[in-house]
Amino acid sequence: DSDRLADAMQIVVSQDYCVKCHAMGDFVPEGSPRGLAPDLGMVHKRLRAGDVQRWIARPNGILAYTAMPQIVPYDEAKPYLGAEQTQKLFHGTSPETVDALVDLLMNFDDYAKSRASVSGLVAESKAAKEAAAKEAEAAKEAEAVKEAEAVKEAEVVPEKLPEIEGKQTEGL
């Protein structure tokens, strides 16, 4: 169960999800204090699990004008029931992902006592995302070099063509 919460924490600390707007534990996102979303580390003290579950599953279903996106959409027709984008961080269906996030938030005080700081986890997540972006860029550059070499080689071939054609017609 602790692995499940650790995996859910990967969604929370990802720069693409919760910590983009929410404070949690010893982490506070950059930006204006007025633009910050509620502190997720305090959810277990202020809300009931069922309310948190409904909110995470479909925030605009509770508050139509909320700025919070639906991070774990539900769609029966899609793989993982819609939780495709979070699969790198948490392996489960949309309902399983929402349940794990709720369990993490409702037990954050106990979970946090046994783990590293949230700021450290956010920094690790950010570094991993940057490394993946650099790796993708390097692969893109390598592909461009490969393509350039292929074009250069294709330019050389036509120069040899008259020589090859001449040898083929000599015996005729």
Side-chain angles (χ1 to χ4, degrees):
D1 196 43
S2 65
D3 289 340
R4 184 172 156 270
L5 296 182
D7 289 347
M9 186 61 134
Q10 294 307 305
I11 294 173
V12 172
V13 300
S14 169
Q15 297 293 305
D16 297 326
Y17 297 106
C18 306
V19 296
K20 197 173 192 179
C21 303
H22 290 275
M24 185 170 202
D26 63 346
F27 176 79
V28 178
E30 295 177 4
S32 165
R34 291 189 66 186
L36 294 181
D39 185 341
L40 295 179
M42 303 302 287
V43 166
H44 67 283
K45 292 181 179 182
R46 299 177 34 233
L47 302 169
R48 291 183 300 233
D51 295 333
V52 174
Q53 183 180 39
R54 284 187 293 283
W55 177 257
I56 292 172
R58 207 165 134 236
N60 64 356
I62 295 173
L63 189 62
Y65 55 86
T66 184
M68 182 166 158
Q70 184 178 16
I71 62 168
V72 188
Y74 179 82
D75 185 341
E76 288 182 7
K78 291 189 176 177
Y80 308 105
L81 300 176
E84 297 170 89
Q85 77 278 11
T86 57
Q87 287 303 302
K88 289 185 214 162
L89 305 170
F90 184 89
H91 306 290
T93 64
S94 183
E96 291 168 343
T97 304
V98 170
D99 287 348
L101 287 167
V102 171
D103 289 348
L104 172 67
L105 295 176
M106 299 312 291
N107 296 290
F108 181 71
D109 55 340
D110 292 329
Y111 177 82
K113 289 175 189 171
S114 66
R115 302 293 175 165
S117 75
V118 175
S119 292
L121 295 172
V122 171
E124 287 175 21
S125 175
K126 185 176 182 180
K129 184 175 181 181
E130 289 171 355
K134 284 181 184 178
E135 194 174 296
E137 185 62 33
K140 205 183 265 187
E141 286 176 13
E143 186 63 31
V145 167
K146 201 179 212 181
E147 287 177 16
E149 288 173 356
V151 168
K152 189 175 180 179
E153 191 174 304
E155 290 172 353
V156 172
V157 170
E159 293 173 9
K160 293 183 178 180
L161 247 166
E163 180 183 316
I164 294 169
E165 287 175 347
K167 288 181 181 177
Q168 288 177 345
T169 57
E170 280 179 11
L172 297 177

